[in-house]
């Protein structure tokens, strides 16, 4: 019964947003940030017990907080605003219902190799009208992390992740792996509140830079 109510609530939310955004006259670009995992799905679990779902939620909240401080805040929406379970299909449908202009999915990595570290950025390996823009944005985001945070980069990669596969035909879409929770150095960095703020700032800056380049 709870699942039925959750699904009904989600559909109602989509309908409301479609109506509201259909009335908008603004040409402002809309960004959807997909906050990975949530609810019973913890995602990767760090060597100190930290959960991926909580890390990416904290960073997404920093993006929102910093965005509100801008003179001209960007039009940013999250796929979840608290610790709730949202399916991959619901995430992509939400982004399409919002008529997003840009989609960024936030995650943290994990490996059986404890020395694996650094940021990976993924683009869908499906060809689409937005493939070039997605790839360009991914490289721009990677360069921004390297320059602003000194993060070790593992490069831009191509994959078949559902959230980018099902959105790449509608708008540029990337998936960002924000370090390895299985690596003590990455984990130590990403666990500190000030560093989460820095990561959120880097995401916001590169999203803004990309939109400026596209206008």
């Amino acid at each position: 019964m709870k699942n039925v109510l959750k699904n009904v609530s989600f559909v109602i939310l989509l309908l409301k947003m479609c109506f509201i955004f259909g009335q908008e006259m603004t040409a402002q670009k809309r960004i959807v940030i997909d906050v990975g995992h949530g609810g019973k799905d913890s995602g990767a679990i760090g060597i100190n017990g930290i959960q991926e779902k909580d890390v990416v939620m904290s960073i997404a909240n920093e993006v929102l907080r910093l965005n509100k401080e801008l003179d001209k805040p960007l039009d940013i929406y999250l796929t979840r605003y608290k610790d709730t379970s949202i399916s991959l299909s619901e995430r992509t449908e939400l982004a399409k219902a919002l008529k997003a202009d840009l989609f960024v999915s936030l995650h943290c990595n994990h490996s059986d190799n404890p020395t694996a570290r650094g940021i990976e950025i993924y683009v869908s390996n499906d060809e689409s009208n937005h493939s070039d823009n997605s790839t360009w944005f991914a490289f721009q985001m990677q360069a921004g992390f390297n320059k602003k945070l000194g993060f070790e980069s593992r490069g831009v990669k191509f994959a078949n992740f559902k959230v980018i596969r099902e959105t790449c035909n509608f708008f540029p879409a990337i998936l960002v792996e924000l370090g390895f929770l299985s690596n003590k150095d990455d984990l130590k960095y990403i666990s500190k509140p000030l560093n989460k703020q820095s990561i959120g700032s880097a995401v916001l800056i590169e999203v803004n830079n990309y939109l400026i380049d596209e206008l």
Side-chain angles (χ1 to χ4, degrees):
M1 185 64 180
K2 288 183 178 179
N3 288 334
V4 172
L5 291 174
K6 181 175 77 70
N7 291 334
V8 170
S9 298
F10 183 81
V11 171
I12 292 173
L13 175 63
L14 282 180
L15 291 174
K16 285 182 177 179
M17 287 187 295
C18 287
F19 174 78
I20 292 170
F21 297 136
Q23 309 304 313
E24 289 182 350
M25 300 302 291
T26 178
Q28 186 180 18
K29 298 294 184 180
R30 181 169 296 129
I31 303 98
V32 170
I33 295 180
D34 174 37
V35 188
H37 307 282
K40 294 181 179 179
D41 179 11
S42 64
I45 299 178
I47 52 179
N48 64 349
I50 194 172
Q51 298 184 15
E52 177 182 359
K53 67 173 184 177
D54 297 326
V55 174
V56 293
M57 187 77 259
S58 296
I59 292 171
N61 282 331
E62 284 298 327
V63 174
L64 290 182
R65 184 183 65 80
L66 293 168
N67 183 55
K68 290 178 181 178
E69 295 179 357
L70 298 177
D71 291 336
K72 294 183 179 179
L74 302 178
D75 195 19
I76 297 177
Y77 296 85
L78 306 184
T79 54
R80 65 179 179 93
Y81 289 84
K82 54 185 179 179
D83 187 18
T84 52
S85 295
I86 302 176
S87 72
L88 299 179
S89 294
E90 287 173 335
R91 294 166 189 269
T92 60
E93 288 304 314
L94 178 60
K96 287 183 279 189
L98 285 167
K99 300 185 184 300
D101 295 288
L102 195 61
F103 181 87
V104 181
S105 187
L106 299 181
H107 291 264
C108 293
N109 228 328
H110 188 280
S111 175
D112 292 333
N113 178 3
T115 65
R117 61 177 301 184
I119 285 180
E120 294 177 337
I121 302 181
Y122 287 89
V123 177
S124 174
N125 53 17
D126 287 353
E127 287 293 326
S128 73
N129 292 333
H130 299 287
S131 292
D132 289 344
N133 285 340
S134 295
T135 304
W136 169 249
F137 179 43
F139 276 104
Q140 183 173 308
M141 181 73 76
Q142 174 191 240
F145 273 109
N146 290 346
K147 180 178 180 181
K148 296 175 180 64
L149 304 178
F151 252 97
E152 180 177 334
S153 174
R154 297 170 63 88
V156 172
K157 302 182 179 182
F158 297 85
N160 196 37
F161 296 128
K162 186 179 179 71
V163 291
I164 51 176
R165 183 183 73 238
E166 294 191 354
T167 52
C168 66
N169 285 317
F170 298 88
F171 33 76
I174 66 172
L175 185 148
V176 185
E177 294 279 5
L178 297 162
F180 284 75
L181 300 185
S182 50
N183 178 271
K184 63 179 183 180
D185 293 324
D186 278 4
L187 179 61
K188 182 179 179 181
Y189 181 90
I190 209 168
S191 296
K192 295 181 179 179
L194 186 59
N195 292 336
K196 290 177 183 176
Q197 179 179 325
S198 297
I199 294 171
S201 176
V203 171
L204 183 61
I205 289 171
E206 295 313 319
V207 165
N208 191 50
N209 287 342
Y210 173 82
L211 294 176
I212 289 173
D213 289 342
E214 289 300 301
L215 292 178

